[in-house]
Amino acid sequence: MRIKLSFHVNKTYFFMLKIKTVGLLLASMALTSTLAATNDASAQTTPTANNSNTATFADPEKVLRTIFPVAETGFDPAAARDIYSNSIIEVVFERLYGYDYLASPAKIIPEAADGLPEISADGKTYTIKLKKGIYFSQDDAFKGKKRELTVNDYVYSIKRLMDPRIASSHSWLFEGKIIGLDSIVAQAKKSGKFDYDAKIAGIEVLDKYTLRLHLTRPDFNLSMILAYTATSAVAREVIEQYRDLQGLAMANPVGTGPYKLSEWVRGSKMILDAKSDYRLVEWNFEPGSNAEDQRINAAMKGKRIPQIGKIIVTDILEDQSRLLAFQKDEIDLFQLYGGLAPQVMRDGKLKPEFLKKGIHLSRIVDPELIVYYWNMRDPIFGGFSKEKIALRRAIAMAHNVDNEIKIVENGEAIALQYLIPPGVVGHDPDYRSSIQYDPVAANALLDKFGYKKGADGYRTLPDGKPFQINYTSQTESRGHLQAEVWKKTYDSVGIRMNVDFRPFAEILKAEKDCQLTQRISPWLADYPDGDNFMQLFYGANIHLNNAGCVAIPEYDKLYEETQKLPAGPERDLLYHKMVRIMEVYSAQRIGYARYYNMLSQARVIGHKKHPIMHTEWMYIDIDKNK
């Protein structure tokens, strides 16, 4: 695939990890025979040839202009961790499953798969059928031949996530889940080479359109995992032609999705063109009874997907510049962050001057957990001795989450009590954390465990030695606000704080290696189930998603038990115990979830922010006359 490629270096990189769901309650994906009934309702991928609206699509005169607030990193599904790179991946590649655009609670539907999976009674065998006639974009790697998608492409893509050489941060999705896969990984670690042609007992290719997966244990979230961008199908020929020394193809995305990346100016601009030969797919979703869904359905029902022929994505890092571009009508779709909200909104609604222009606001609470962690391997703040636990707990009690929301987010967030945010399966709205804001009790706790204040007002360790916390934050304005808030927290309990400002990409690398002492860590749902949040603190996920490098045996044992259970009261009980364990050891402090505000110009038709999907580009339209 030939992409116009040039380079533009930004000093600031800020991206958030993903993958999104609040306001939704997704029923347990036990996916027994009840899911079969959903197949007929998944008409989003079932063409209706007689509908007059399917005749025209991918109109090159319909151009959507949107913004990334930070630089993307690249477009290999096995490597991309940021929401912005994954937004491109989502429309260039395809997964076996996706999400219904309008359904609430969220509903899994087939994407490349031909119907939902057939699942054995014990929940350990998945049989997946693939639609026929799906093709990759034309590329030199295919040597002039038309390349059809087969289940082998998904098998290859799963194997890449497990290849030690690639070192994908998404390997946890399949670790310990498929019979025989871990042994191949172990062999690769010894030999230094992953055998992509090795037979794996748990991966059975019945024919090029039928895949059967044999699991080591019941996995009630597998269909949601197979809807996650990391499991997008890549072609082996493409990877082998364009891969770098690590085995990644970050600059040459070639997929079966509705768009292809035709131009990429690194850190500046991306241009996506709709594929004129994309298969026939009709916009057909069941709307809710609310007025917004009814309006969207009336405007979009029966149209062929995608309607928009070109998408131009521009990286604009500065907050005010993004808003100004939108106000000057240079941008059609724009995410409004908390710092800008007071200029556009009042009490969660658009100000009259924006309403008069026909601007539309789509507003949800993100399926997000912002958590504050202390590195459990740090020699001063980590560890399980009573004085170390007391130190972390006191700091947690001294931090005013509501004040941070007010200052950093301009009130555009809700404080959380539970590790699983609202709208995600397993959330408990009645749960109340044992750690609450109480600076008086926090200081008393430090006094009790020997952290004495000196003449300068700052505390020493119980052995009398001075100490300080090294707080890491992002270099942009938001990071500076967060640092100011935390400086007040540490001052309130007499602890010195040093700020370590770094670009976000550098932070992630150091965090993965357990090199940071403390930072604010956001996690957006990869899939809408509590497991996606509880795995963040599982010991085996250190160097993957366990940012605080915490390993608590009691927690890990309970987490492993939850892997055997479907969503429901029994699993919820274990989750409650796990959350209490984390509070006892105070390895982290629960923070908040932000509102997600999307603004669209009057010419944009059918937009509604989806809580799981990164983008809605392929499901919306543009009125060329506005």
Side-chain angles (χ1 to χ4, degrees):
M1 180 180 188
R2 290 189 176 91
I3 299 174
K4 182 179 178 182
L5 182 63
S6 56
F7 297 87
H8 175 84
V9 179
N10 281 309
K11 293 182 179 179
T12 303
Y13 294 88
F14 168 72
F15 52 83
M16 298 179 301
L17 294 178
K18 183 199 233 246
I19 322 59
K20 305 171 167 195
T21 348
V22 165
L24 296 171
L25 182 60
L26 180 62
S28 163
M29 297 309 294
L31 294 178
T32 56
S33 57
T34 56
L35 281 178
T38 314
N39 285 328
D40 293 335
S42 302
Q44 175 256 336
T45 53
T46 303
T48 304
N50 294 327
N51 191 298
S52 60
N53 284 329
T54 65
T56 59
F57 83 118
D59 185 344
E61 294 184 7
K62 292 180 177 180
V63 180
L64 179 74
R65 304 159 303 168
T66 188
I67 293 174
F68 285 169
V70 296
E72 65 293 336
T73 57
F75 312 112
D76 189 324
R81 297 181 66 195
D82 60 285
I83 188 173
Y84 307 106
S85 298
N86 275 304
S87 295
I88 302 296
I89 288 170
E90 191 170 72
V91 296
V92 170
F93 299 92
E94 290 181 303
R95 281 66 46 200
L96 285 164
Y97 303 102
Y99 289 91
D100 186 294
Y101 183 48
L102 295 182
S104 179
K107 182 172 69 176
I108 290 284
I109 61 174
E111 190 164 280
D114 188 10
L116 291 167
E118 298 175 11
I119 304 168
S120 61
D122 62 2
K124 294 170 66 176
T125 302
Y126 279 63
T127 302
I128 299 165
K129 294 187 180 296
L130 190 66
K131 291 186 179 77
K132 298 178 181 179
I134 298 177
Y135 293 91
F136 284 92
S137 299
Q138 294 180 2
D139 189 83
D140 291 345
F142 302 134
K143 304 185 186 306
K145 297 180 181 179
K146 197 173 182 180
R147 173 63 156 79
E148 187 179 11
L149 176 72
T150 73
V151 294
N152 281 306
D153 296 310
Y154 285 101
V155 172
Y156 175 70
S157 300
I158 290 172
K159 288 178 177 179
R160 289 189 73 232
L161 298 180
M162 306 304 294
D163 187 342
R165 177 189 176 196
I166 290 175
S168 173
S169 61
H170 308 298
S171 60
W172 65 276
L173 293 168
F174 294 100
E175 281 181 348
K177 290 185 178 180
I178 297 177
I179 294 172
L181 181 57
D182 288 323
S183 63
I184 298 296
V185 174
Q187 291 173 21
K189 289 179 179 178
K190 290 181 181 179
S191 67
K193 184 177 181 180
F194 192 97
D195 186 356
Y196 282 92
D197 298 311
K199 298 294 183 182
I200 298 174
I203 301 178
E204 188 179 0
V205 177
L206 302 182
D207 57 56
K208 67 178 185 177
Y209 303 113
T210 310
L211 174 64
R212 182 166 290 156
L213 298 177
H214 301 277
L215 309 182
T216 59
R217 60 178 183 265
D219 187 338
F220 302 101
N221 295 320
L222 187 63
S223 293
M224 287 187 278
I225 288 172
L226 295 175
Y228 180 42
T229 48
T231 65
S232 300
V234 298
R236 185 169 183 172
E237 306 97 303
V238 172
I239 299 299
E240 291 181 350
Q241 176 147 331
Y242 299 115
R243 64 189 173 191
D244 58 20
L245 293 176
Q246 192 180 344
L248 300 174
M250 298 293 277
N252 298 88
V254 180
T256 63
Y259 289 93
K260 58 184 178 182
L261 181 66
S262 56
E263 182 177 344
W264 180 26
V265 182
R266 288 182 184 268
S268 180
K269 182 174 69 174
M270 288 136 282
I271 296 179
L272 295 155
D273 287 310
K275 291 156 59 173
S276 60
D277 58 351
Y278 186 63
R279 67 185 183 276
L280 184 59
V281 179
E282 178 185 326
W283 199 105
N284 191 0
F285 301 99
E286 189 66 31
S289 58
N290 62 84
E292 182 181 29
D293 278 13
Q294 294 294 325
R295 173 181 55 81
I296 292 172
N297 184 63
M300 295 298 299
K301 187 175 179 63
K303 290 184 178 181
R304 186 172 175 181
I305 294 171
Q307 284 289 301
I308 295 171
K310 187 182 292 290
I311 300 170
I312 301 174
V313 184
T314 306
D315 291 338
I316 302 179
L317 307 188
E318 203 277 319
D319 286 354
Q320 200 62 46
S321 296
R322 292 195 297 272
L323 180 57
L324 181 61
F326 184 80
Q327 290 176 315
K328 292 169 65 177
D329 201 15
E330 297 171 352
I331 297 299
D332 299 302
L333 199 59
F334 166 57
Q335 182 181 354
L336 182 73
Y337 286 95
L340 297 173
Q343 299 183 51
V344 180
M345 299 167 54
R346 184 181 297 116
D347 299 326
K349 297 180 180 180
L350 287 176
K351 290 182 177 179
E353 56 265 37
F354 290 92
L355 289 172
K356 289 178 181 178
K357 295 179 180 180
I359 291 170
H360 178 257
L361 169 67
S362 183
R363 175 178 167 90
I364 64 171
V365 177
D366 247 337
E368 173 184 54
L369 170 66
I370 287 183
V371 67
Y372 322 110
Y373 72 77
W374 293 271
N375 186 346
M376 290 296 282
R377 293 184 175 182
D378 185 84
I380 294 177
F381 292 87
F384 296 97
S385 62
K386 290 182 179 180
E387 67 273 11
K388 299 292 183 66
I389 295 172
L391 175 61
R392 294 190 300 269
R393 189 175 184 89
I395 298 169
M397 293 166 64
H399 189 64
N400 189 334
V401 175
D402 290 329
N403 190 51
E404 180 177 346
I405 290 173
K406 180 179 179 180
I407 294 173
V408 178
E409 306 296 344
N410 274 304
E412 288 294 303
I414 59 170
L416 300 178
Q417 297 286 325
Y418 201 53
L419 284 178
I420 302 171
V424 176
V425 173
H427 172 68
D428 183 354
D430 298 321
Y431 185 91
R432 186 167 174 80
S433 172
S434 62
I435 297 176
Q436 299 293 327
Y437 175 59
D438 191 341
V440 174
N443 276 284
L445 187 62
L446 291 173
D447 291 341
K448 179 179 179 179
F449 282 87
Y451 294 91
K452 298 178 180 179
K453 281 187 177 180
D456 59 0
Y458 288 105
R459 296 181 185 273
T460 60
L461 294 171
D463 61 7
K465 294 180 180 179
F467 75 107
Q468 68 175 19
I469 183 81
N470 199 43
Y471 172 88
T472 302
S473 192
Q474 293 142 211
T475 53
E476 37 68 59
S477 58
R478 175 186 169 83
H480 283 265
L481 283 175
Q482 291 170 329
E484 290 174 11
V485 170
W486 273 93
K487 179 68 166 60
K488 292 179 181 178
T489 294
Y490 282 109
D491 282 346
S492 72
V493 288
I495 295 176
R496 291 183 179 87
M497 186 188 97
N498 174 64
V499 187
D500 173 25
F501 290 110
R502 304 191 194 186
F504 196 63
E506 186 180 323
I507 288 176
L508 284 184
K509 185 178 184 301
E511 185 175 73
K512 192 173 181 180
D513 294 333
C514 299
Q515 294 177 353
L516 304 182
T517 302
Q518 192 217 346
R519 89 168 185 96
I520 299 174
S521 180
W523 183 264
L524 289 165
D526 301 317
Y527 52 89
D529 186 80
D531 174 70
N532 192 227
F533 292 88
M534 303 307 283
Q535 59 86 22
L536 295 173
F537 313 100
Y538 179 47
N541 284 347
I542 292 174
H543 303 307
L544 294 172
N545 299 322
N546 187 336
C549 303
V550 56
I552 302 174
E554 304 99 305
Y555 183 98
D556 291 350
K557 183 179 178 181
L558 291 176
Y559 178 78
E560 289 162 4
E561 288 183 28
T562 66
Q563 297 303 289
K564 306 171 186 177
L565 299 172
E570 187 176 359
R571 192 184 69 164
D572 289 345
L573 181 61
L574 295 183
Y575 280 172
H576 275 223
K577 292 180 180 179
M578 293 161 69
V579 174
R580 289 300 186 199
I581 288 171
M582 295 304 291
E583 292 171 6
V584 167
Y585 289 103
S586 297
Q588 84 295 308
R589 167 78 152 95
I590 295 171
Y592 54 90
R594 289 167 288 187
Y595 285 101
Y596 198 114
N597 300 306
M598 286 296 294
L599 300 181
S600 56
Q601 300 286 2
R603 71 178 65 87
V604 177
I605 301 170
H607 180 264
K608 179 181 181 180
K609 186 70 199 88
H610 193 278
I612 306 294
M613 297 187 299
H614 301 304
T615 71
E616 300 78 29
W617 301 336
M618 69 179 290
Y619 300 120
I620 63 179
D621 200 355
I622 290 283
D623 185 343
K624 295 187 295 183
N625 298 317
K626 289 187 178 181

